[in-house]
């Protein structure tokens, strides 16, 4: 398709968009009494209008039933998390028994590392990507310290080549082979938070396991955003947050994946009563008998009030399906890239998209170097109703989330961006 930088063309694209009606199912902030253009769903998704009803249901059951809500609520609390298994398994490409919800993202990665990072004197190294999200970096450092190793010895970062913004797959595979018999764990972000680069999860997983290591993934920016086939790719474990592309609310519950081949293993884990045999959970038995599947990694009674908005979201995803989301994601992201290049010409600017141009290596995010521009341009965008994200030194991250962003939003953004530059 030949794109055009006109309002009429953008509206034509919106008229053909089969997901356009979902925009009305979200609540948008307003700036100057006008609905914002929202590009930060890669940080915190918008609130679906249906969320309140799911929360109110729990609140009302609590008021009317109190403790009896565990068993007699419309959605009984004691097995509330089981409602996620089917829809969530489709989002991440798993068997229903391989997924669960609990805790928050970094907590779950720590807990999963209890099972999957078992260093020895000769096999103790962790491979991660350079400039991983800071929480992951802190986690790696504390884990290797806990096991008595020095981070500078045990943590191996895969570097970008000089002058390049993204990590080459060939360099990841070469580093895995180089570390070889010393490698205990590969743990990488499925989508790099800064550049938006999508890693080849299937190829990296196979290479790590061939080297004798376990392979896990931080899918914070991937779940609900890219096509995942965690079971078929033979991933050992993964975790993700739910408040970015899955719109479950600030700091909300995390999802976990544990491949079925580990369900009957004797892997160490930190146990708690909610991971205990469901049918015998309330018998208060002294010895831990884990639930079969990923639910056996649960520890505490689940925060049902937090799970309610997440359930609202995954049920919306079940309606839409990942294939439809990805189809629009690719198209609207390409249109946004076109708009950026067109505005670049009109203002004689120098915008550099550092997200890979290869469609297989990007998703719903364009990270853009605004060469020659400073923080004042970001401030202008925010004051004029474009909610985006600034990263030093002069990068803005733009996430045109397909559920609630329109093609006309992309056109309007271009016009506001142009005014912000020419008006200086």
């Amino acid at each position: 398709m030949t794109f055009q930088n006109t309002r009429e063309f953008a509206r034509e694209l919106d008229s053909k968009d089969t997901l356009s009606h979902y925009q009305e199912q979200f609540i948008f902030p307003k700036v100057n009494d006008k609905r914002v253009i929202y590009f930060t769903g890669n940080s915190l998704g918008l609130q679906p209008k249906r969320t309140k009803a799911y929360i109110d249901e729990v609140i009302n059951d609590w008021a009317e039933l109190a403790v009896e809500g565990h068993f007699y609520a419309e959605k009984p609390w004691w097995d509330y998390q089981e409602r996620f298994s089917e829809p969530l398994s489709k989002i991440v490409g798993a068997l229903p028994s391989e997924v669960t919800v609990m805790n928050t993202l970094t907590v779950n990665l720590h807990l999963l590392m209890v099972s999957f990072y078992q260093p020895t004197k000769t096999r103790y190294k962790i491979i991660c990507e350079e400039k991983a999200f800071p929480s992951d970096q802190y986690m790696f450092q504390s884990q290797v310290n806990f096991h008595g190793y020095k981070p500078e010895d045990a943590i191996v970062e895969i570097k970008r080549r000089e002058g390049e913004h993204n990590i080459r797959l060939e360099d990841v595979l070469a580093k895995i082979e180089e570390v070889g018999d010393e490698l205990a764990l590969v743990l990488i972000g499925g989508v790099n938070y800064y550049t938006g680069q999508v890693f080849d999860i299937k190829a990296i997983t196979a290479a790590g396991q061939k080297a004798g290591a376990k392979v896990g993934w931080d899918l914070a920016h991937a779940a609900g955003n890219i096509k995942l086939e965690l079971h078929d790719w033979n991933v050992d474990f993964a975790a993700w947050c739910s408040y970015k592309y899955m719109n479950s609310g600030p700091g909300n519950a995390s999802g976990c994946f544990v491949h079925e081949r580990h369900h009957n293993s004797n892997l160490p884990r930190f146990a708690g009563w909610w991971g205990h045999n469901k049918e015998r959970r309330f018998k208060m038995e002294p010895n831990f008998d884990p639930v079969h599947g990923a639910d056996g990694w649960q520890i505490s009674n689940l925060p049902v009030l937090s799970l309610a908005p997440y359930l609202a979201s995954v049920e919306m995803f079940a309606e839409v399906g990942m294939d439809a989301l990805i189809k629009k994601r690719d198209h609207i992201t390409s249109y946004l890239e076109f708009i950026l290049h067109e505005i670049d010409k009109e203002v004689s600017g120098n915008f550099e998209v550092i997200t890979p141009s290869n469609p297989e290596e990007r998703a719903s995010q364009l990270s853009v170097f605004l060469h020659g521009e400073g923080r004042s341009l970001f401030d202008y965008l925010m004051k004029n109703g474009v909610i985006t994200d600034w990263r030093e030194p002069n990068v803005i991250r733009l996430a045109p989330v397909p559920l609630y962003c329109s093609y006309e939003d992309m056109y309007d953004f271009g016009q506001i961006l142009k005014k912000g530059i020419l008006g200086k």
Side-chain angles (χ1 to χ4, degrees):
M1 176 181 288
T2 302
F3 290 138
Q4 298 174 28
N5 184 21
T6 67
R7 187 176 302 280
E8 292 73 22
F9 182 78
R11 286 178 173 173
E12 182 183 349
L13 292 179
D14 282 325
S15 71
K16 298 175 180 177
D17 175 17
T18 59
L19 302 184
S20 62
H21 63 285
Y22 276 96
Q23 294 162 35
E24 299 305 316
Q25 297 194 34
F26 287 86
I27 301 171
F28 287 79
K30 291 186 177 181
V31 172
N32 300 324
D33 294 323
K34 185 178 178 181
R35 196 190 85 172
V36 301
I37 299 168
Y38 195 74
F39 279 128
T40 49
N42 57 346
S43 184
L44 178 66
L46 292 177
Q47 183 186 137
K49 291 179 180 178
R50 67 179 71 184
T51 296
K52 188 175 185 298
Y54 281 68
I55 297 173
D56 285 348
E57 180 183 65
V58 178
I59 289 288
N60 293 336
D61 286 337
W62 179 19
E64 296 171 8
L65 298 171
V67 72
E68 293 292 270
H70 282 93
F71 300 102
Y72 300 113
E74 184 175 337
K75 297 183 182 71
W77 304 335
W78 86 300
D79 60 3
Y80 197 93
Q81 78 282 353
E82 293 179 10
R83 292 162 180 81
F84 289 84
S85 60
E86 192 66 37
L88 199 53
S89 68
K90 289 181 170 61
I91 293 171
V92 300
L95 302 178
S97 65
E98 293 176 322
V99 295
T100 193
V101 289
M102 60 185 192
N103 310 308
T104 49
L105 175 56
T106 306
V107 172
N108 283 340
L109 287 173
H110 271 298
L111 292 172
L112 289 165
M113 286 183 74
V114 170
S115 297
F116 293 100
Y117 179 55
Q118 292 292 306
T120 67
K121 288 184 178 180
T122 57
R123 189 182 285 275
Y124 60 93
K125 292 187 176 180
I126 299 172
I127 283 181
C128 64
E129 82 270 32
E130 178 186 43
K131 207 175 178 68
F133 192 74
S135 190
D136 285 0
Q137 293 176 314
Y138 307 152
M139 176 184 66
F140 296 141
Q141 292 164 14
S142 63
Q143 283 276 343
V144 298
N145 281 329
F146 175 78
H147 286 282
Y149 299 94
K150 295 180 179 179
E152 58 267 29
D153 295 331
I155 301 172
V156 179
E157 292 188 348
I158 302 166
K159 306 286 186 181
R160 293 160 175 81
R161 295 190 185 187
E162 186 69 29
E164 297 184 1
H165 296 298
N166 296 287
I167 296 171
R168 296 192 188 191
L169 174 61
E170 61 201 83
D171 293 345
V172 180
L173 302 182
K175 184 60 69 174
I176 289 172
E177 187 173 355
E178 176 190 326
V179 177
D181 292 342
E182 295 181 313
L183 183 60
L185 176 67
V186 178
L187 181 48
I188 295 175
V191 178
N192 183 266
Y193 85 99
Y194 184 77
T195 66
Q197 178 184 8
V198 176
F199 288 95
D200 189 331
I201 296 173
K202 181 180 180 181
I204 294 170
T205 298
Q209 291 170 344
K210 182 180 179 182
K214 295 293 192 295
V215 183
W217 292 89
D218 176 348
L219 301 177
H221 290 263
N225 181 25
I226 70 172
K227 185 73 169 178
L228 294 166
E229 298 290 349
L230 299 182
H231 175 82
D232 289 347
W233 294 341
N234 209 36
V235 168
D236 288 296
F237 70 96
W240 56 91
C241 54
S242 60
Y243 50 82
K244 300 183 190 297
Y245 293 99
M246 283 191 282
N247 316 304
S248 73
N252 214 336
S254 167
C256 293
F257 165 87
V258 178
H259 199 282
E260 69 168 346
R261 71 181 181 281
H262 299 301
H263 293 176
N264 294 320
S265 68
N266 292 318
L267 287 171
R269 70 180 92 180
F270 286 164
W273 80 308
W274 221 252
H276 187 74
N277 182 322
K278 177 186 173 184
E279 304 306 322
R280 305 184 64 81
R281 185 179 296 151
F282 288 90
K283 293 186 179 297
M284 306 304 176
E285 296 170 324
N287 295 316
F288 182 63
D289 175 19
V291 177
H292 184 264
D295 280 350
W297 269 261
Q298 294 176 134
I299 294 178
S300 297
N301 190 349
L302 294 169
V304 178
L305 277 169
S306 293
L307 295 188
Y310 193 8
L311 186 61
S313 174
V314 298
E315 292 188 349
M316 181 184 291
F317 271 78
E319 295 170 11
V320 177
M322 287 303 300
D323 289 341
L325 280 171
I326 288 169
K327 182 179 178 180
K328 181 181 175 182
R329 178 205 73 188
D330 291 344
H331 198 243
I332 198 170
T333 303
S334 294
Y335 188 57
L336 172 60
E337 185 176 35
F338 166 79
I339 292 291
L340 283 165
H341 289 317
E342 289 298 295
I343 299 303
D344 199 16
K345 297 173 190 175
E346 294 179 20
V347 300
S348 299
N350 185 11
F351 303 160
E352 181 185 3
V353 178
I354 64 174
T355 306
S357 58
N358 178 3
E360 298 298 316
E361 293 184 88
R362 75 179 188 188
S364 184
Q365 178 176 318
L366 294 179
S367 296
V368 187
F369 259 123
L370 301 173
H371 294 300
E373 305 296 334
R375 177 81 186 214
S376 61
L377 178 58
F378 167 77
D379 294 338
Y380 178 87
L381 293 173
M382 296 290 283
K383 289 176 182 176
N384 286 273
V386 179
I387 309 300
T388 184
D389 181 69
W390 173 269
R391 298 284 161 157
E392 296 295 341
N394 59 342
V395 170
I396 59 170
R397 300 188 308 158
L398 305 165
V401 175
L403 269 177
Y404 49 72
C405 286
S406 70
Y407 291 91
E408 191 169 5
D409 286 340
M410 305 303 105
Y411 171 78
D412 284 336
F413 162 68
Q415 297 305 300
I416 295 169
L417 178 64
K418 181 168 67 174
K419 289 178 182 176
I421 295 171
L422 296 179
K424 291 191 303 180

